[in-house]
Amino acid sequence: MESDEKQSEGMNLDATTDAEGIISDDDEIDYSIEPEFYDPEIDEKDEVLIHKRRGGRTSDAVLSCPACFTTLCLDCQRHEKYLTQYRAMFVVNCRIKTDQAAHEQKQNSVRRTDNTRCNVTKTVGGRDAVPRSVCCLVCSTEVGVFDDDEVYHFFNVLPSEA
């Protein structure tokens, strides 16, 4: 039994000496060599690319998905009254849910002379004007609506400086 204790003590002693001999990963990094994935001019290249895509137009913000940070829009206008809402005509990484109307859609209610209400939906070109939900293509988070005028209205997005 004593030999077992001596062996276990010996193993613990050997383990601590091995642990002390380990070199940190930071000590092994050679900082004199520039990494392949680093490009000091990438910001300037990205800015030129965005200006080409916008075609010289200015934008109030670049919009991203609040859940996965995917870029949704590069060219948009901020709403004058509701400062957290934006509208755009050209988007990326968005999917329109054609099978489901936006849950924010509220039907107009008209009071009749007999004090009952009837629901009225705005009709455009022979069809009901119901905005459709717009979701992030990557994570399916609802980010806005798409109206019959083919304009995207974003209300659940993260804006950043354009």
Side-chain angles (χ1 to χ4, degrees), residues 9-55:
E9 286 177 12
M11 285 195 288
N12 289 340
L13 182 60
D14 291 341
T16 56
T17 55
D18 287 344
E20 291 172 0
I22 293 177
I23 298 172
S24 169
D25 288 341
D26 289 338
D27 295 336
E28 296 176 1
I29 297 174
D30 184 6
Y31 291 102
S32 65
I33 300 172
E34 192 171 303
E36 297 175 21
F37 55 84
Y38 177 72
D39 185 0
E41 298 170 358
I42 193 72
D43 289 335
E44 289 81 17
K45 291 176 184 176
D46 286 345
E47 187 175 352
V48 168
L49 176 69
I50 297 302
H51 284 298
K52 279 184 184 177
R53 285 193 178 175
R54 286 187 186 154

mmCIF file of all heavy atoms in Angstrom, residues 9-55:
data_model
loop_
_atom_site.group_PDB
_atom_site.id
_atom_site.type_symbol
_atom_site.label_atom_id
_atom_site.label_comp_id
_atom_site.label_asym_id
_atom_site.label_seq_id
_atom_site.Cartn_x
_atom_site.Cartn_y
_atom_site.Cartn_z
ATOM 1 N N GLU A 9 2.197 9.842 -5.438
ATOM 2 C CA GLU A 9 2.887 11.106 -5.136
ATOM 3 C C GLU A 9 3.909 11.417 -6.206
ATOM 4 O O GLU A 9 4.087 12.563 -6.608
ATOM 5 C CB GLU A 9 3.569 11.013 -3.764
ATOM 6 C CG GLU A 9 2.614 11.074 -2.609
ATOM 7 C CD GLU A 9 3.331 10.896 -1.277
ATOM 8 O OE1 GLU A 9 4.583 10.958 -1.240
ATOM 9 O OE2 GLU A 9 2.641 10.694 -0.280
ATOM 10 N N GLY A 10 4.568 10.398 -6.703
ATOM 11 C CA GLY A 10 5.561 10.585 -7.759
ATOM 12 C C GLY A 10 4.916 11.081 -9.039
ATOM 13 O O GLY A 10 5.447 11.922 -9.742
ATOM 14 N N MET A 11 3.718 10.562 -9.348
ATOM 15 C CA MET A 11 3.016 11.013 -10.552
ATOM 16 C C MET A 11 2.591 12.462 -10.423
ATOM 17 O O MET A 11 2.684 13.232 -11.354
ATOM 18 C CB MET A 11 1.795 10.119 -10.830
ATOM 19 C CG MET A 11 2.184 8.765 -11.393
ATOM 20 S SD MET A 11 0.815 7.884 -12.116
ATOM 21 C CE MET A 11 -0.105 7.428 -10.678
ATOM 22 N N ASN A 12 2.129 12.852 -9.258
ATOM 23 C CA ASN A 12 1.741 14.239 -9.056
ATOM 24 C C ASN A 12 2.942 15.159 -9.179
ATOM 25 O O ASN A 12 2.862 16.230 -9.747
ATOM 26 C CB ASN A 12 1.078 14.428 -7.683
ATOM 27 C CG ASN A 12 -0.303 13.808 -7.626
ATOM 28 O OD1 ASN A 12 -0.893 13.570 -8.664
ATOM 29 N ND2 ASN A 12 -0.792 13.541 -6.420
ATOM 30 N N LEU A 13 4.068 14.745 -8.661
ATOM 31 C CA LEU A 13 5.271 15.554 -8.733
ATOM 32 C C LEU A 13 5.721 15.696 -10.183
ATOM 33 O O LEU A 13 6.075 16.771 -10.626
ATOM 34 C CB LEU A 13 6.379 14.917 -7.885
ATOM 35 C CG LEU A 13 7.703 15.668 -7.797
ATOM 36 C CD1 LEU A 13 7.456 17.048 -7.192
ATOM 37 C CD2 LEU A 13 8.712 14.905 -6.983
ATOM 38 N N ASP A 14 5.665 14.575 -10.923
ATOM 39 C CA ASP A 14 6.057 14.628 -12.330
ATOM 40 C C ASP A 14 5.100 15.512 -13.132
ATOM 41 O O ASP A 14 5.520 16.243 -14.022
ATOM 42 C CB ASP A 14 6.069 13.226 -12.937
ATOM 43 C CG ASP A 14 7.201 12.366 -12.368
ATOM 44 O OD1 ASP A 14 8.151 12.966 -11.820
ATOM 45 O OD2 ASP A 14 7.104 11.125 -12.467
ATOM 46 N N ALA A 15 3.795 15.472 -12.824
ATOM 47 C CA ALA A 15 2.806 16.268 -13.551
ATOM 48 C C ALA A 15 3.059 17.757 -13.351
ATOM 49 O O ALA A 15 2.924 18.542 -14.278
ATOM 50 C CB ALA A 15 1.404 15.910 -13.094
ATOM 51 N N THR A 16 3.443 18.161 -12.138
ATOM 52 C CA THR A 16 3.690 19.587 -11.912
ATOM 53 C C THR A 16 4.937 20.044 -12.641
ATOM 54 O O THR A 16 4.985 21.152 -13.149
ATOM 55 C CB THR A 16 3.816 19.895 -10.411
ATOM 56 O OG1 THR A 16 4.839 19.080 -9.855
ATOM 57 C CG2 THR A 16 2.503 19.678 -9.696
ATOM 58 N N THR A 17 5.944 19.207 -12.729
ATOM 59 C CA THR A 17 7.141 19.633 -13.454
ATOM 60 C C THR A 17 6.855 19.711 -14.941
ATOM 61 O O THR A 17 7.369 20.582 -15.628
ATOM 62 C CB THR A 17 8.318 18.668 -13.188
ATOM 63 O OG1 THR A 17 7.913 17.356 -13.514
ATOM 64 C CG2 THR A 17 8.794 18.773 -11.761
ATOM 65 N N ASP A 18 6.007 18.808 -15.468
ATOM 66 C CA ASP A 18 5.649 18.889 -16.874
ATOM 67 C C ASP A 18 4.837 20.152 -17.147
ATOM 68 O O ASP A 18 5.021 20.806 -18.172
ATOM 69 C CB ASP A 18 4.838 17.666 -17.296
ATOM 70 C CG ASP A 18 5.689 16.410 -17.390
ATOM 71 O OD1 ASP A 18 6.927 16.570 -17.435
ATOM 72 O OD2 ASP A 18 5.110 15.305 -17.402
ATOM 73 N N ALA A 19 3.935 20.496 -16.246
ATOM 74 C CA ALA A 19 3.110 21.685 -16.432
ATOM 75 C C ALA A 19 3.965 22.947 -16.404
ATOM 76 O O ALA A 19 3.683 23.907 -17.106
ATOM 77 C CB ALA A 19 2.028 21.759 -15.354
ATOM 78 N N GLU A 20 4.992 22.973 -15.610
ATOM 79 C CA GLU A 20 5.847 24.157 -15.540
ATOM 80 C C GLU A 20 6.675 24.329 -16.807
ATOM 81 O O GLU A 20 7.089 25.422 -17.139
ATOM 82 C CB GLU A 20 6.760 24.060 -14.319
ATOM 83 C CG GLU A 20 6.010 24.196 -13.018
ATOM 84 C CD GLU A 20 6.896 23.902 -11.819
ATOM 85 O OE1 GLU A 20 8.091 23.603 -12.001
ATOM 86 O OE2 GLU A 20 6.373 23.970 -10.702
ATOM 87 N N GLY A 21 6.887 23.238 -17.553
ATOM 88 C CA GLY A 21 7.706 23.306 -18.753
ATOM 89 C C GLY A 21 6.930 23.743 -19.990
ATOM 90 O O GLY A 21 7.510 23.928 -21.053
ATOM 91 N N ILE A 22 5.605 23.924 -19.903
ATOM 92 C CA ILE A 22 4.782 24.304 -21.052
ATOM 93 C C ILE A 22 5.021 25.774 -21.387
ATOM 94 O O ILE A 22 5.050 26.637 -20.513
ATOM 95 C CB ILE A 22 3.296 24.054 -20.766
ATOM 96 C CG1 ILE A 22 3.053 22.552 -20.635
ATOM 97 C CG2 ILE A 22 2.432 24.637 -21.885
ATOM 98 C CD1 ILE A 22 1.626 22.208 -20.285
ATOM 99 N N ILE A 23 5.184 26.037 -22.658
ATOM 100 C CA ILE A 23 5.390 27.401 -23.130
ATOM 101 C C ILE A 23 4.050 27.952 -23.581
ATOM 102 O O ILE A 23 3.271 27.273 -24.238
ATOM 103 C CB ILE A 23 6.394 27.423 -24.295
ATOM 104 C CG1 ILE A 23 7.747 26.888 -23.821
ATOM 105 C CG2 ILE A 23 6.539 28.818 -24.860
ATOM 106 C CD1 ILE A 23 8.744 26.702 -24.931
ATOM 107 N N SER A 24 3.774 29.209 -23.264
ATOM 108 C CA SER A 24 2.523 29.860 -23.634
ATOM 109 C C SER A 24 2.422 30.004 -25.145
ATOM 110 O O SER A 24 3.432 30.151 -25.838
ATOM 111 C CB SER A 24 2.446 31.239 -22.970
ATOM 112 O OG SER A 24 1.380 31.979 -23.495
ATOM 113 N N ASP A 25 1.190 29.977 -25.662
ATOM 114 C CA ASP A 25 0.980 30.176 -27.095
ATOM 115 C C ASP A 25 1.479 31.542 -27.542
ATOM 116 O O ASP A 25 1.944 31.700 -28.664
ATOM 117 C CB ASP A 25 -0.499 30.038 -27.439
ATOM 118 C CG ASP A 25 -0.970 28.598 -27.355
ATOM 119 O OD1 ASP A 25 -0.120 27.696 -27.392
ATOM 120 O OD2 ASP A 25 -2.187 28.391 -27.249
ATOM 121 N N ASP A 26 1.386 32.552 -26.680
ATOM 122 C CA ASP A 26 1.858 33.893 -27.029
ATOM 123 C C ASP A 26 3.365 33.917 -27.253
ATOM 124 O O ASP A 26 3.872 34.708 -28.037
ATOM 125 C CB ASP A 26 1.491 34.898 -25.941
ATOM 126 C CG ASP A 26 0.001 35.180 -25.915
ATOM 127 O OD1 ASP A 26 -0.651 34.957 -26.940
ATOM 128 O OD2 ASP A 26 -0.492 35.623 -24.866
ATOM 129 N N ASP A 27 4.077 33.061 -26.554
ATOM 130 C CA ASP A 27 5.528 33.004 -26.711
ATOM 131 C C ASP A 27 5.920 32.384 -28.046
ATOM 132 O O ASP A 27 7.016 32.614 -28.540
ATOM 133 C CB ASP A 27 6.168 32.200 -25.567
ATOM 134 C CG ASP A 27 5.987 32.878 -24.226
ATOM 135 O OD1 ASP A 27 5.803 34.114 -24.213
ATOM 136 O OD2 ASP A 27 6.023 32.176 -23.199
ATOM 137 N N GLU A 28 5.039 31.586 -28.631
ATOM 138 C CA GLU A 28 5.343 30.899 -29.878
ATOM 139 C C GLU A 28 4.996 31.725 -31.111
ATOM 140 O O GLU A 28 5.375 31.372 -32.214
ATOM 141 C CB GLU A 28 4.592 29.575 -29.931
ATOM 142 C CG GLU A 28 5.026 28.604 -28.861
ATOM 143 C CD GLU A 28 4.197 27.331 -28.865
ATOM 144 O OE1 GLU A 28 3.298 27.211 -29.724
ATOM 145 O OE2 GLU A 28 4.452 26.476 -28.022
ATOM 146 N N ILE A 29 4.262 32.821 -30.967
ATOM 147 C CA ILE A 29 3.834 33.633 -32.106
ATOM 148 C C ILE A 29 4.981 34.516 -32.561
ATOM 149 O O ILE A 29 5.609 35.213 -31.764
ATOM 150 C CB ILE A 29 2.610 34.501 -31.740
ATOM 151 C CG1 ILE A 29 1.431 33.599 -31.403
ATOM 152 C CG2 ILE A 29 2.255 35.441 -32.896
ATOM 153 C CD1 ILE A 29 0.228 34.344 -30.890
ATOM 154 N N ASP A 30 5.223 34.496 -33.856
ATOM 155 C CA ASP A 30 6.266 35.345 -34.438
ATOM 156 C C ASP A 30 5.592 36.605 -34.972
ATOM 157 O O ASP A 30 4.944 36.579 -36.017
ATOM 158 C CB ASP A 30 6.983 34.597 -35.557
ATOM 159 C CG ASP A 30 8.142 35.387 -36.138
ATOM 160 O OD1 ASP A 30 8.463 36.465 -35.587
ATOM 161 O OD2 ASP A 30 8.723 34.931 -37.139
ATOM 162 N N TYR A 31 5.724 37.711 -34.243
ATOM 163 C CA TYR A 31 5.060 38.959 -34.615
ATOM 164 C C TYR A 31 5.778 39.709 -35.735
ATOM 165 O O TYR A 31 5.290 40.719 -36.219
ATOM 166 C CB TYR A 31 4.912 39.863 -33.394
ATOM 167 C CG TYR A 31 3.913 39.335 -32.386
ATOM 168 C CD1 TYR A 31 4.324 38.701 -31.232
ATOM 169 C CD2 TYR A 31 2.558 39.453 -32.630
ATOM 170 C CE1 TYR A 31 3.400 38.209 -30.318
ATOM 171 C CE2 TYR A 31 1.621 38.964 -31.731
ATOM 172 C CZ TYR A 31 2.054 38.338 -30.573
ATOM 173 O OH TYR A 31 1.140 37.856 -29.684
ATOM 174 N N SER A 32 6.921 39.234 -36.149
ATOM 175 C CA SER A 32 7.646 39.913 -37.231
ATOM 176 C C SER A 32 7.037 39.586 -38.597
ATOM 177 O O SER A 32 7.259 40.304 -39.561
ATOM 178 C CB SER A 32 9.122 39.532 -37.204
ATOM 179 O OG SER A 32 9.265 38.141 -37.475
ATOM 180 N N ILE A 33 6.249 38.503 -38.684
ATOM 181 C CA ILE A 33 5.602 38.117 -39.941
ATOM 182 C C ILE A 33 4.163 38.617 -39.919
ATOM 183 O O ILE A 33 3.414 38.363 -38.986
ATOM 184 C CB ILE A 33 5.622 36.586 -40.112
ATOM 185 C CG1 ILE A 33 7.044 36.073 -40.122
ATOM 186 C CG2 ILE A 33 4.880 36.196 -41.387
ATOM 187 C CD1 ILE A 33 7.145 34.562 -40.088
ATOM 188 N N GLU A 34 3.775 39.354 -40.955
ATOM 189 C CA GLU A 34 2.406 39.870 -41.041
ATOM 190 C C GLU A 34 1.460 38.741 -41.433
ATOM 191 O O GLU A 34 1.731 38.002 -42.374
ATOM 192 C CB GLU A 34 2.347 40.979 -42.094
ATOM 193 C CG GLU A 34 1.071 41.762 -42.061
ATOM 194 C CD GLU A 34 1.134 42.988 -42.957
ATOM 195 O OE1 GLU A 34 2.025 43.815 -42.769
ATOM 196 O OE2 GLU A 34 0.264 43.076 -43.835
ATOM 197 N N PRO A 35 0.338 38.580 -40.720
ATOM 198 C CA PRO A 35 -0.601 37.493 -41.043
ATOM 199 C C PRO A 35 -1.217 37.669 -42.426
ATOM 200 O O PRO A 35 -1.399 38.778 -42.905
ATOM 201 C CB PRO A 35 -1.677 37.603 -39.968
ATOM 202 C CG PRO A 35 -1.319 38.729 -39.096
ATOM 203 C CD PRO A 35 -0.077 39.358 -39.592
ATOM 204 N N GLU A 36 -1.568 36.531 -43.057
ATOM 205 C CA GLU A 36 -2.131 36.550 -44.407
ATOM 206 C C GLU A 36 -3.513 37.191 -44.459
ATOM 207 O O GLU A 36 -3.886 37.780 -45.452
ATOM 208 C CB GLU A 36 -2.246 35.124 -44.935
ATOM 209 C CG GLU A 36 -0.942 34.412 -45.093
ATOM 210 C CD GLU A 36 -1.147 32.960 -45.493
ATOM 211 O OE1 GLU A 36 -2.227 32.634 -46.022
ATOM 212 O OE2 GLU A 36 -0.241 32.171 -45.264
ATOM 213 N N PHE A 37 -4.282 37.055 -43.411
ATOM 214 C CA PHE A 37 -5.665 37.520 -43.417
ATOM 215 C C PHE A 37 -5.804 38.999 -43.074
ATOM 216 O O PHE A 37 -6.887 39.529 -43.053
ATOM 217 C CB PHE A 37 -6.511 36.695 -42.445
ATOM 218 C CG PHE A 37 -5.962 36.665 -41.043
ATOM 219 C CD1 PHE A 37 -6.229 37.680 -40.156
ATOM 220 C CD2 PHE A 37 -5.161 35.618 -40.636
ATOM 221 C CE1 PHE A 37 -5.719 37.663 -38.876
ATOM 222 C CE2 PHE A 37 -4.638 35.590 -39.347
ATOM 223 C CZ PHE A 37 -4.919 36.612 -38.474
ATOM 224 N N TYR A 38 -4.735 39.700 -42.841
ATOM 225 C CA TYR A 38 -4.789 41.112 -42.468
ATOM 226 C C TYR A 38 -4.546 41.976 -43.690
ATOM 227 O O TYR A 38 -3.584 41.786 -44.423
ATOM 228 C CB TYR A 38 -3.750 41.421 -41.392
ATOM 229 C CG TYR A 38 -3.709 42.886 -41.013
ATOM 230 C CD1 TYR A 38 -4.739 43.438 -40.271
ATOM 231 C CD2 TYR A 38 -2.675 43.701 -41.409
ATOM 232 C CE1 TYR A 38 -4.731 44.765 -39.921
ATOM 233 C CE2 TYR A 38 -2.648 45.036 -41.071
ATOM 234 C CZ TYR A 38 -3.669 45.560 -40.323
ATOM 235 O OH TYR A 38 -3.655 46.881 -39.989
ATOM 236 N N ASP A 39 -5.436 42.938 -43.924
ATOM 237 C CA ASP A 39 -5.281 43.884 -45.024
ATOM 238 C C ASP A 39 -5.494 45.284 -44.473
ATOM 239 O O ASP A 39 -6.623 45.656 -44.142
ATOM 240 C CB ASP A 39 -6.289 43.590 -46.128
ATOM 241 C CG ASP A 39 -6.098 44.466 -47.352
ATOM 242 O OD1 ASP A 39 -5.182 45.313 -47.356
ATOM 243 O OD2 ASP A 39 -6.873 44.316 -48.306
ATOM 244 N N PRO A 40 -4.446 46.066 -44.351
ATOM 245 C CA PRO A 40 -4.588 47.410 -43.769
ATOM 246 C C PRO A 40 -5.416 48.363 -44.631
ATOM 247 O O PRO A 40 -5.885 49.388 -44.149
ATOM 248 C CB PRO A 40 -3.149 47.899 -43.629
ATOM 249 C CG PRO A 40 -2.368 47.109 -44.615
ATOM 250 C CD PRO A 40 -3.069 45.788 -44.733
ATOM 251 N N GLU A 41 -5.640 48.026 -45.891
ATOM 252 C CA GLU A 41 -6.383 48.915 -46.792
ATOM 253 C C GLU A 41 -7.812 48.431 -47.046
ATOM 254 O O GLU A 41 -8.480 48.949 -47.937
ATOM 255 C CB GLU A 41 -5.623 49.035 -48.109
ATOM 256 C CG GLU A 41 -4.245 49.647 -47.928
ATOM 257 C CD GLU A 41 -3.399 49.539 -49.182
ATOM 258 O OE1 GLU A 41 -3.877 48.956 -50.181
ATOM 259 O OE2 GLU A 41 -2.280 50.037 -49.154
ATOM 260 N N ILE A 42 -8.295 47.462 -46.271
ATOM 261 C CA ILE A 42 -9.621 46.880 -46.526
ATOM 262 C C ILE A 42 -10.744 47.898 -46.340
ATOM 263 O O ILE A 42 -11.728 47.871 -47.085
ATOM 264 C CB ILE A 42 -9.855 45.619 -45.652
ATOM 265 C CG1 ILE A 42 -11.073 44.838 -46.149
ATOM 266 C CG2 ILE A 42 -10.029 45.979 -44.195
ATOM 267 C CD1 ILE A 42 -10.854 44.122 -47.422
ATOM 268 N N ASP A 43 -10.625 48.807 -45.386
ATOM 269 C CA ASP A 43 -11.683 49.810 -45.175
ATOM 270 C C ASP A 43 -11.843 50.712 -46.388
ATOM 271 O O ASP A 43 -12.969 51.020 -46.795
ATOM 272 C CB ASP A 43 -11.383 50.646 -43.933
ATOM 273 C CG ASP A 43 -11.551 49.863 -42.655
ATOM 274 O OD1 ASP A 43 -12.316 48.874 -42.663
ATOM 275 O OD2 ASP A 43 -10.928 50.221 -41.644
ATOM 276 N N GLU A 44 -10.749 51.138 -46.980
ATOM 277 C CA GLU A 44 -10.822 51.990 -48.169
ATOM 278 C C GLU A 44 -11.425 51.229 -49.344
ATOM 279 O O GLU A 44 -12.235 51.765 -50.107
ATOM 280 C CB GLU A 44 -9.432 52.530 -48.545
ATOM 281 C CG GLU A 44 -8.898 53.577 -47.590
ATOM 282 C CD GLU A 44 -8.280 52.980 -46.328
ATOM 283 O OE1 GLU A 44 -7.970 51.757 -46.315
ATOM 284 O OE2 GLU A 44 -8.130 53.720 -45.345
ATOM 285 N N LYS A 45 -11.061 49.949 -49.487
ATOM 286 C CA LYS A 45 -11.615 49.132 -50.566
ATOM 287 C C LYS A 45 -13.123 48.941 -50.389
ATOM 288 O O LYS A 45 -13.882 49.017 -51.346
ATOM 289 C CB LYS A 45 -10.923 47.775 -50.603
ATOM 290 C CG LYS A 45 -9.476 47.827 -51.039
ATOM 291 C CD LYS A 45 -8.841 46.451 -50.952
ATOM 292 C CE LYS A 45 -7.366 46.481 -51.285
ATOM 293 N NZ LYS A 45 -6.738 45.154 -51.098
ATOM 294 N N ASP A 46 -13.555 48.698 -49.155
ATOM 295 C CA ASP A 46 -14.977 48.526 -48.875
ATOM 296 C C ASP A 46 -15.757 49.805 -49.155
ATOM 297 O O ASP A 46 -16.871 49.764 -49.681
ATOM 298 C CB ASP A 46 -15.194 48.102 -47.419
ATOM 299 C CG ASP A 46 -14.807 46.660 -47.176
ATOM 300 O OD1 ASP A 46 -14.643 45.910 -48.159
ATOM 301 O OD2 ASP A 46 -14.661 46.284 -45.992
ATOM 302 N N GLU A 47 -15.181 50.944 -48.810
ATOM 303 C CA GLU A 47 -15.855 52.223 -49.043
ATOM 304 C C GLU A 47 -16.048 52.475 -50.531
ATOM 305 O O GLU A 47 -17.121 52.914 -50.965
ATOM 306 C CB GLU A 47 -15.042 53.353 -48.414
ATOM 307 C CG GLU A 47 -15.739 54.686 -48.454
ATOM 308 C CD GLU A 47 -14.981 55.772 -47.712
ATOM 309 O OE1 GLU A 47 -13.992 55.469 -47.036
ATOM 310 O OE2 GLU A 47 -15.409 56.937 -47.830
ATOM 311 N N VAL A 48 -15.047 52.169 -51.348
ATOM 312 C CA VAL A 48 -15.157 52.324 -52.801
ATOM 313 C C VAL A 48 -16.243 51.392 -53.347
ATOM 314 O O VAL A 48 -17.050 51.796 -54.186
ATOM 315 C CB VAL A 48 -13.796 52.042 -53.476
ATOM 316 C CG1 VAL A 48 -13.938 51.916 -54.986
ATOM 317 C CG2 VAL A 48 -12.794 53.131 -53.126
ATOM 318 N N LEU A 49 -16.297 50.159 -52.852
ATOM 319 C CA LEU A 49 -17.309 49.199 -53.295
ATOM 320 C C LEU A 49 -18.724 49.690 -52.980
ATOM 321 O O LEU A 49 -19.624 49.626 -53.820
ATOM 322 C CB LEU A 49 -17.069 47.841 -52.631
ATOM 323 C CG LEU A 49 -18.106 46.769 -52.919
ATOM 324 C CD1 LEU A 49 -18.036 46.327 -54.373
ATOM 325 C CD2 LEU A 49 -17.942 45.604 -51.984
ATOM 326 N N ILE A 50 -18.935 50.215 -51.783
ATOM 327 C CA ILE A 50 -20.263 50.708 -51.387
ATOM 328 C C ILE A 50 -20.665 51.911 -52.225
ATOM 329 O O ILE A 50 -21.821 52.023 -52.651
ATOM 330 C CB ILE A 50 -20.289 51.044 -49.881
ATOM 331 C CG1 ILE A 50 -20.052 49.790 -49.058
ATOM 332 C CG2 ILE A 50 -21.589 51.715 -49.490
ATOM 333 C CD1 ILE A 50 -21.041 48.677 -49.304
ATOM 334 N N HIS A 51 -19.738 52.818 -52.486
ATOM 335 C CA HIS A 51 -20.071 53.983 -53.328
ATOM 336 C C HIS A 51 -20.459 53.542 -54.737
ATOM 337 O O HIS A 51 -21.357 54.133 -55.348
ATOM 338 C CB HIS A 51 -18.906 54.967 -53.380
ATOM 339 C CG HIS A 51 -18.765 55.788 -52.140
ATOM 340 N ND1 HIS A 51 -19.748 56.654 -51.706
ATOM 341 C CD2 HIS A 51 -17.779 55.855 -51.211
ATOM 342 C CE1 HIS A 51 -19.374 57.232 -50.586
ATOM 343 N NE2 HIS A 51 -18.183 56.755 -50.250
ATOM 344 N N LYS A 52 -19.822 52.499 -55.254
ATOM 345 C CA LYS A 52 -20.196 51.966 -56.574
ATOM 346 C C LYS A 52 -21.605 51.395 -56.535
ATOM 347 O O LYS A 52 -22.397 51.623 -57.440
ATOM 348 C CB LYS A 52 -19.222 50.867 -57.001
ATOM 349 C CG LYS A 52 -17.940 51.362 -57.572
ATOM 350 C CD LYS A 52 -17.107 50.173 -58.032
ATOM 351 C CE LYS A 52 -15.763 50.593 -58.532
ATOM 352 N NZ LYS A 52 -14.935 49.434 -58.916
ATOM 353 N N ARG A 53 -21.920 50.625 -55.492
ATOM 354 C CA ARG A 53 -23.250 50.008 -55.388
ATOM 355 C C ARG A 53 -24.355 51.038 -55.233
ATOM 356 O O ARG A 53 -25.458 50.839 -55.712
ATOM 357 C CB ARG A 53 -23.297 49.044 -54.212
ATOM 358 C CG ARG A 53 -22.579 47.765 -54.478
ATOM 359 C CD ARG A 53 -22.909 46.761 -53.435
ATOM 360 N NE ARG A 53 -22.239 45.505 -53.718
ATOM 361 C CZ ARG A 53 -22.272 44.466 -52.919
ATOM 362 N NH1 ARG A 53 -22.921 44.534 -51.778
ATOM 363 N NH2 ARG A 53 -21.643 43.364 -53.233
ATOM 364 N N ARG A 54 -24.083 52.120 -54.531
ATOM 365 C CA ARG A 54 -25.100 53.162 -54.331
ATOM 366 C C ARG A 54 -25.283 54.031 -55.561
ATOM 367 O O ARG A 54 -26.271 54.744 -55.668
ATOM 368 C CB ARG A 54 -24.708 54.058 -53.157
ATOM 369 C CG ARG A 54 -24.889 53.416 -51.831
ATOM 370 C CD ARG A 54 -24.656 54.420 -50.748
ATOM 371 N NE ARG A 54 -24.679 53.783 -49.455
ATOM 372 C CZ ARG A 54 -24.055 54.225 -48.398
ATOM 373 N NH1 ARG A 54 -23.352 55.334 -48.468
ATOM 374 N NH2 ARG A 54 -24.126 53.591 -47.259
ATOM 375 N N GLY A 55 -24.353 54.019 -56.469
ATOM 376 C CA GLY A 55 -24.461 54.819 -57.679
ATOM 377 C C GLY A 55 -24.402 56.312 -57.409
ATOM 378 O O GLY A 55 -25.065 57.094 -58.082
#
